[in-house]
C-alpha cells in the first residue's frame, strides 16, 4: 500500500543524496509556477503507481522473509536540497523517501523512475543490514586495537567511532553499483528508459574514485546502467 505523507523526522539510516543546488525561489508568475508544481506532482504519483508494484514483485521474487510492502513518503520542506533515500520504520517496513526538491529537479519520468528503482534496490539487496554489520565489525576492530595498545577510555571510544565510520563505507561504492544495476531492471520492467533516467548523474558533481568515498564515479554508474539495459533488451 502506498501512502504519500509529509516526512517530518526520520532517521537517515541510508541516504543517497543528490547534491544539486537547493531550489531557488521561482521567477515565474504564481499561476505558471503552480502549473509546473502540479505537473511535477502528477508525474510523481504516476511514477509511484507504475514503479512500486514492479519493485514489490522484484522484492518478493528475490528475497525470503523480507518486508516488501514499500511505503512512499514525501518531505515537504521546500528549502532542502534535492534528496532521496531508503530506510525502514521501527516495524521493519521499507520506506522510500523523496523531498520536494528531488521531485521538482528531475527532468522527466524516466529519471524519477530510475531514482525510485535505485532506492528500492537498496532495500531488496539488504544494504542497510550489511552496512550496519560492517560498521559494527569496524568499531570492534578499531576499539580492540586501541585497547590492546593501552589507550585510555576516551581514545578507545574515538577509535570505535572511527572504526564504525570506516566499516560503514567499506562496501558503499559496491552497494551503489548493485543498486544501480537492480534499479535499472526495476525501471526497465516498469516501462521506463533507465539509460535516459541515469542522465540525472550528469547534473550532479562527480565524486571520482576517492578512498572510502560513499559513491562510485559517475562514469562507472552510467556504464553499469547501459550494460544492464542492453542485456535486458537482448533477453
Amino acid at each position: 500500500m502506498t501512502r504519500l505523507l509529509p516526512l517530518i523526522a526520520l532517521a537517515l539510516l541510508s541516504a543517497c543524496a543528490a547534491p544539486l543546488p537547493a531550489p531557488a525561489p521561482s521567477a515565474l508568475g504564481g499561476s505558471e509556477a503552480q502549473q509546473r508544481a502540479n505537473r511535477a506532482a502528477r508525474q510523481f504519483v504516476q511514477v509511484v503507481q507504475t514503479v512500486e508494484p514492479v519493485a514489490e514483485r522484484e522484492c518478493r521474487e528475490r528475497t525470503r522473509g523480507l518486508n516488501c510492502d514499500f511505503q512512499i513518503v514525501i518531505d515537504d520542506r521546500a528549502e532542502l536540497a534535492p534528496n532521496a533515500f531508503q530506510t525502514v520504520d521501527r516495524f521493519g517496513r521499507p520506506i522510500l523517501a523523496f523531498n520536494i526538491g528531488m521531485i521538482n529537479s528531475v527532468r522527466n519520468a524516466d529519471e524519477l523512475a530510475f531514482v525510485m528503482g535505485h532506492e528500492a534496490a537498496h532495500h531488496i539487496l539488504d544494504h542497510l543490514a550489511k552496512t550496519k554489520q560492517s560498521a559494527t565489525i569496524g568499531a570492534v576492530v578499531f576499539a580492540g586495537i586501541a585497547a590492546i595498545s593501552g589507550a585510555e577510555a576516551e581514545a578507545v571510544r574515538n577509535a570505535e567511532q572511527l572504526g564504525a565510520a570506516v566499516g560503514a563505507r567499506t562496501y558503499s561504492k559496491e552497494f551503489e553499483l548493485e543498486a544501480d544495476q537492480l534499479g535499472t531492471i526495476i525501471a526497465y520492467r516498469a516501462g521506463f528508459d533507465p539509460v535516459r533516467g541515469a542522465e540525472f548523474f550528469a547534473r550532479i558533481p562527480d565524486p571520482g574514485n576517492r578512498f572510502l568515498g560513499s559513491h562510485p564515479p559517475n562514469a562507472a554508474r552510467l556504464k553499469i546502467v547501459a550494460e544492464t539495459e542492453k542485456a535486458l533488451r537482448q533477453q
Side-chain angles (χ1 to χ4, degrees):
M1 179 174 60
T2 303
R3 295 178 184 173
L4 304 183
L5 303 173
L7 178 66
I8 303 303
L10 230 154
L12 304 189
L13 301 181
S14 174
C16 290
L20 294 169
S26 176
L28 300 175
S31 177
E32 188 175 350
Q34 185 60 52
Q35 289 177 8
R36 188 172 67 177
N38 290 341
R39 286 195 297 270
R42 286 195 298 270
Q43 175 176 265
F44 182 78
V45 171
Q46 291 168 355
V47 170
V48 168
Q49 292 175 339
T50 307
V51 173
E52 185 190 26
V54 176
E56 292 189 353
R57 184 172 66 245
E58 291 292 327
C59 182
R60 293 188 175 98
E61 290 177 353
R62 293 169 179 266
T63 66
R64 292 292 180 272
L66 191 68
N67 190 328
C68 295
D69 185 15
F70 287 104
Q71 180 178 16
I72 314 297
V73 300
I74 300 173
D75 184 336
D76 59 358
R77 293 172 292 180
E79 72 276 10
L80 298 181
N83 191 22
F85 64 89
Q86 180 267 321
T87 186
V88 295
D89 66 16
R90 59 194 181 95
F91 302 108
R93 184 178 180 183
I95 293 173
L96 306 181
F98 302 81
N99 67 7
I100 294 296
M102 170 61 74
I103 293 170
N104 290 333
S105 69
V106 295
R107 291 181 176 173
N108 51 64
D110 295 306
E111 290 189 354
L112 186 57
F114 179 78
V115 172
M116 195 170 295
H118 172 96
E119 298 304 334
H122 275 307
H123 175 70
I124 297 169
L125 297 168
D126 206 19
H127 285 162
L128 280 181
K130 292 175 181 177
T131 298
K132 184 177 180 180
Q133 182 181 40
S134 296
T136 300
I137 293 172
V140 171
V141 170
F142 276 53
I145 293 174
I148 292 173
S149 301
E152 296 182 356
E154 183 177 357
V156 172
R157 285 195 296 271
N158 290 338
E160 183 179 28
Q161 293 174 355
L162 177 60
V166 171
R169 290 195 170 197
T170 300
Y171 301 106
S172 60
K173 293 179 183 178
E174 288 84 352
F175 289 168
E176 290 301 320
L177 290 175
E178 289 175 2
D180 287 339
Q181 184 178 47
L182 181 52
T184 297
I185 294 171
I186 292 171
Y188 182 87
R189 290 180 175 167
F192 295 93
D193 182 345
V195 173
R196 185 175 183 230
E199 291 176 0
F200 179 81
F201 292 134
R203 303 199 307 279
I204 63 177
D206 192 335
N209 196 20
R210 294 175 297 171
F211 177 65
L212 289 181
S214 61
H215 286 65
N218 290 346
R221 306 185 72 173
L222 293 169
K223 180 181 178 182
I224 199 166
V225 170
E227 290 176 346
T228 303
E229 193 266 351
K230 181 179 179 180
L232 288 168
R233 285 191 286 105
Q234 293 175 344
Q235 288 180 356

